[in-house]
Amino acid sequence: MTDWTWEYNPSEEYVADGLAPGVVAEVERLATELAALGVDAAKVGRPFDREGGLREFDILGGRGFISFLSAPRHHCIYICNITWYG
């Protein structure tokens, strides 16, 4: 277990506004798992050919994806965008 946390960036209202509660719950579950990975979260998702930067990870069987940043300096995962095709 790591000491990493996760947050919405810039805010939950901006990133998750209007999404179904089930989608938000799944995003938060995944964010918790990404935080548990710690520094290795920079290797998860797209793009596959490099580490770091803005990453994308499919949610709910490809019906959407999240964009996130892994910030080792802050020990935090920042959820920056949720794209939901519904």
Side-chain angles (χ1 to χ4, degrees):
M1 195 68 174
T2 68
D3 60 342
W4 282 50
T5 60
W6 70 270
E7 297 178 14
Y8 289 104
N9 184 12
S11 68
E12 181 178 4
E13 293 78 25
Y14 181 82
V15 176
D17 189 42
L19 293 172
V23 174
V24 174
E26 178 65 5
V27 168
E28 292 179 356
R29 183 189 70 79
L30 289 171
T32 301
E33 291 188 14
L34 288 167
L37 287 174
V39 72
D40 291 329
K43 302 174 187 173
V44 173
R46 295 180 298 268
F48 299 115
D49 59 342
R50 65 180 189 276
E51 293 181 17
L54 190 64
R55 314 291 300 171
E56 293 181 348
F57 191 79
D58 289 339
I59 58 172
L60 294 169
R63 294 188 295 176
F65 63 91
I66 60 172
S67 299
F68 67 94
L69 287 171
S70 172
R73 175 181 269 178
H74 299 152
H75 291 242
C76 191
I77 302 294
Y78 294 105
I79 305 298
C80 301
N81 189 44
I82 304 168
T83 301
W84 179 245
Y85 304 121

mmCIF file of all heavy atoms in Angstrom, residues 51-71:
data_model
loop_
_atom_site.group_PDB
_atom_site.id
_atom_site.type_symbol
_atom_site.label_atom_id
_atom_site.label_comp_id
_atom_site.label_asym_id
_atom_site.label_seq_id
_atom_site.Cartn_x
_atom_site.Cartn_y
_atom_site.Cartn_z
ATOM 1 N N GLU A 51 5.957 6.640 -20.657
ATOM 2 C CA GLU A 51 5.421 6.834 -19.308
ATOM 3 C C GLU A 51 5.160 8.304 -19.060
ATOM 4 O O GLU A 51 5.732 9.172 -19.702
ATOM 5 C CB GLU A 51 6.426 6.338 -18.271
ATOM 6 C CG GLU A 51 6.664 4.868 -18.274
ATOM 7 C CD GLU A 51 7.662 4.458 -17.209
ATOM 8 O OE1 GLU A 51 7.927 5.238 -16.270
ATOM 9 O OE2 GLU A 51 8.190 3.351 -17.320
ATOM 10 N N GLY A 52 4.323 8.584 -18.061
ATOM 11 C CA GLY A 52 4.082 9.946 -17.615
ATOM 12 C C GLY A 52 3.145 10.717 -18.517
ATOM 13 O O GLY A 52 2.577 10.188 -19.464
ATOM 14 N N GLY A 53 2.964 11.979 -18.184
ATOM 15 C CA GLY A 53 2.060 12.834 -18.936
ATOM 16 C C GLY A 53 0.610 12.466 -18.695
ATOM 17 O O GLY A 53 0.277 11.679 -17.806
ATOM 18 N N LEU A 54 -0.256 13.059 -19.483
ATOM 19 C CA LEU A 54 -1.683 12.773 -19.373
ATOM 20 C C LEU A 54 -1.955 11.372 -19.890
ATOM 21 O O LEU A 54 -1.599 11.030 -21.018
ATOM 22 C CB LEU A 54 -2.485 13.807 -20.161
ATOM 23 C CG LEU A 54 -3.993 13.793 -19.958
ATOM 24 C CD1 LEU A 54 -4.349 14.146 -18.517
ATOM 25 C CD2 LEU A 54 -4.662 14.767 -20.907
ATOM 26 N N ARG A 55 -2.570 10.541 -19.063
ATOM 27 C CA ARG A 55 -2.837 9.143 -19.402
ATOM 28 C C ARG A 55 -4.336 8.961 -19.605
ATOM 29 O O ARG A 55 -5.146 9.705 -19.057
ATOM 30 C CB ARG A 55 -2.387 8.213 -18.263
ATOM 31 C CG ARG A 55 -1.030 8.480 -17.685
ATOM 32 C CD ARG A 55 0.105 8.186 -18.591
ATOM 33 N NE ARG A 55 0.106 6.785 -18.973
ATOM 34 C CZ ARG A 55 0.912 6.287 -19.906
ATOM 35 N NH1 ARG A 55 1.749 7.053 -20.543
ATOM 36 N NH2 ARG A 55 0.878 5.014 -20.206
ATOM 37 N N GLU A 56 -4.722 7.956 -20.387
ATOM 38 C CA GLU A 56 -6.129 7.604 -20.583
ATOM 39 C C GLU A 56 -6.331 6.151 -20.225
ATOM 40 O O GLU A 56 -5.484 5.309 -20.501
ATOM 41 C CB GLU A 56 -6.543 7.835 -22.035
ATOM 42 C CG GLU A 56 -6.552 9.279 -22.437
ATOM 43 C CD GLU A 56 -6.984 9.477 -23.876
ATOM 44 O OE1 GLU A 56 -7.053 8.482 -24.639
ATOM 45 O OE2 GLU A 56 -7.251 10.625 -24.238
ATOM 46 N N PHE A 57 -7.495 5.885 -19.605
ATOM 47 C CA PHE A 57 -7.808 4.533 -19.165
ATOM 48 C C PHE A 57 -9.289 4.279 -19.420
ATOM 49 O O PHE A 57 -10.139 5.076 -19.008
ATOM 50 C CB PHE A 57 -7.484 4.392 -17.670
ATOM 51 C CG PHE A 57 -7.509 2.990 -17.170
ATOM 52 C CD1 PHE A 57 -6.444 2.146 -17.405
ATOM 53 C CD2 PHE A 57 -8.591 2.511 -16.471
ATOM 54 C CE1 PHE A 57 -6.459 0.844 -16.945
ATOM 55 C CE2 PHE A 57 -8.629 1.214 -16.007
ATOM 56 C CZ PHE A 57 -7.554 0.374 -16.245
ATOM 57 N N ASP A 58 -9.604 3.196 -20.135
ATOM 58 C CA ASP A 58 -10.997 2.851 -20.439
ATOM 59 C C ASP A 58 -11.767 2.513 -19.176
ATOM 60 O O ASP A 58 -11.224 1.925 -18.238
ATOM 61 C CB ASP A 58 -11.070 1.662 -21.387
ATOM 62 C CG ASP A 58 -10.621 2.004 -22.797
ATOM 63 O OD1 ASP A 58 -10.639 3.190 -23.149
ATOM 64 O OD2 ASP A 58 -10.249 1.076 -23.535
ATOM 65 N N ILE A 59 -13.063 2.875 -19.182
ATOM 66 C CA ILE A 59 -13.938 2.536 -18.058
ATOM 67 C C ILE A 59 -15.179 1.827 -18.564
ATOM 68 O O ILE A 59 -15.622 2.043 -19.702
ATOM 69 C CB ILE A 59 -14.347 3.787 -17.238
ATOM 70 C CG1 ILE A 59 -15.062 4.822 -18.104
ATOM 71 C CG2 ILE A 59 -13.139 4.405 -16.570
ATOM 72 C CD1 ILE A 59 -15.652 5.987 -17.328
ATOM 73 N N LEU A 60 -15.716 0.982 -17.734
ATOM 74 C CA LEU A 60 -16.976 0.278 -17.962
ATOM 75 C C LEU A 60 -17.050 -0.349 -19.351
ATOM 76 O O LEU A 60 -17.947 -0.072 -20.140
ATOM 77 C CB LEU A 60 -18.153 1.215 -17.700
ATOM 78 C CG LEU A 60 -18.282 1.656 -16.234
ATOM 79 C CD1 LEU A 60 -19.294 2.779 -16.097
ATOM 80 C CD2 LEU A 60 -18.649 0.483 -15.350
ATOM 81 N N GLY A 61 -16.067 -1.192 -19.630
ATOM 82 C CA GLY A 61 -16.082 -1.962 -20.867
ATOM 83 C C GLY A 61 -15.925 -1.132 -22.127
ATOM 84 O O GLY A 61 -16.464 -1.486 -23.173
ATOM 85 N N GLY A 62 -15.212 -0.045 -22.054
ATOM 86 C CA GLY A 62 -14.971 0.787 -23.221
ATOM 87 C C GLY A 62 -16.071 1.783 -23.535
ATOM 88 O O GLY A 62 -16.055 2.421 -24.579
ATOM 89 N N ARG A 63 -17.025 1.954 -22.627
ATOM 90 C CA ARG A 63 -18.108 2.921 -22.860
ATOM 91 C C ARG A 63 -17.697 4.345 -22.492
ATOM 92 O O ARG A 63 -18.490 5.263 -22.575
ATOM 93 C CB ARG A 63 -19.364 2.511 -22.105
ATOM 94 C CG ARG A 63 -19.947 1.210 -22.659
ATOM 95 C CD ARG A 63 -21.263 0.892 -22.056
ATOM 96 N NE ARG A 63 -21.083 0.620 -20.631
ATOM 97 C CZ ARG A 63 -22.075 0.389 -19.796
ATOM 98 N NH1 ARG A 63 -23.318 0.413 -20.224
ATOM 99 N NH2 ARG A 63 -21.838 0.141 -18.538
ATOM 100 N N GLY A 64 -16.449 4.505 -22.109
ATOM 101 C CA GLY A 64 -15.907 5.814 -21.793
ATOM 102 C C GLY A 64 -14.462 5.665 -21.367
ATOM 103 O O GLY A 64 -13.896 4.569 -21.415
ATOM 104 N N PHE A 65 -13.851 6.773 -20.994
ATOM 105 C CA PHE A 65 -12.494 6.717 -20.479
ATOM 106 C C PHE A 65 -12.244 7.897 -19.554
ATOM 107 O O PHE A 65 -12.962 8.888 -19.581
ATOM 108 C CB PHE A 65 -11.446 6.666 -21.603
ATOM 109 C CG PHE A 65 -11.408 7.881 -22.485
ATOM 110 C CD1 PHE A 65 -10.567 8.949 -22.200
ATOM 111 C CD2 PHE A 65 -12.193 7.952 -23.625
ATOM 112 C CE1 PHE A 65 -10.523 10.060 -23.016
ATOM 113 C CE2 PHE A 65 -12.151 9.056 -24.459
ATOM 114 C CZ PHE A 65 -11.322 10.121 -24.152
ATOM 115 N N ILE A 66 -11.224 7.733 -18.725
ATOM 116 C CA ILE A 66 -10.786 8.823 -17.860
ATOM 117 C C ILE A 66 -9.420 9.294 -18.335
ATOM 118 O O ILE A 66 -8.629 8.517 -18.867
ATOM 119 C CB ILE A 66 -10.722 8.420 -16.369
ATOM 120 C CG1 ILE A 66 -9.757 7.262 -16.146
ATOM 121 C CG2 ILE A 66 -12.087 8.097 -15.832
ATOM 122 C CD1 ILE A 66 -9.504 6.927 -14.689
ATOM 123 N N SER A 67 -9.160 10.563 -18.164
ATOM 124 C CA SER A 67 -7.834 11.129 -18.384
ATOM 125 C C SER A 67 -7.296 11.520 -17.018
ATOM 126 O O SER A 67 -7.994 12.174 -16.238
ATOM 127 C CB SER A 67 -7.912 12.366 -19.280
ATOM 128 O OG SER A 67 -8.448 12.028 -20.537
ATOM 129 N N PHE A 68 -6.062 11.100 -16.740
ATOM 130 C CA PHE A 68 -5.505 11.381 -15.421
ATOM 131 C C PHE A 68 -4.018 11.674 -15.508
ATOM 132 O O PHE A 68 -3.353 11.302 -16.472
ATOM 133 C CB PHE A 68 -5.754 10.208 -14.460
ATOM 134 C CG PHE A 68 -5.004 8.944 -14.812
ATOM 135 C CD1 PHE A 68 -3.782 8.671 -14.233
ATOM 136 C CD2 PHE A 68 -5.541 8.032 -15.705
ATOM 137 C CE1 PHE A 68 -3.086 7.517 -14.545
ATOM 138 C CE2 PHE A 68 -4.856 6.868 -16.028
ATOM 139 C CZ PHE A 68 -3.628 6.614 -15.442
ATOM 140 N N LEU A 69 -3.535 12.351 -14.501
ATOM 141 C CA LEU A 69 -2.108 12.620 -14.335
ATOM 142 C C LEU A 69 -1.616 11.907 -13.091
ATOM 143 O O LEU A 69 -2.280 11.929 -12.051
ATOM 144 C CB LEU A 69 -1.850 14.114 -14.163
ATOM 145 C CG LEU A 69 -2.001 14.980 -15.388
ATOM 146 C CD1 LEU A 69 -1.936 16.454 -14.985
ATOM 147 C CD2 LEU A 69 -0.921 14.666 -16.395
ATOM 148 N N SER A 70 -0.465 11.303 -13.203
ATOM 149 C CA SER A 70 0.212 10.734 -12.052
ATOM 150 C C SER A 70 1.296 11.727 -11.651
ATOM 151 O O SER A 70 2.191 12.031 -12.447
ATOM 152 C CB SER A 70 0.834 9.388 -12.441
ATOM 153 O OG SER A 70 1.643 8.897 -11.416
ATOM 154 N N ALA A 71 1.212 12.272 -10.459
ATOM 155 C CA ALA A 71 2.149 13.306 -10.012
ATOM 156 C C ALA A 71 2.994 12.787 -8.849
ATOM 157 O O ALA A 71 2.612 12.930 -7.679
ATOM 158 C CB ALA A 71 1.388 14.550 -9.594
#
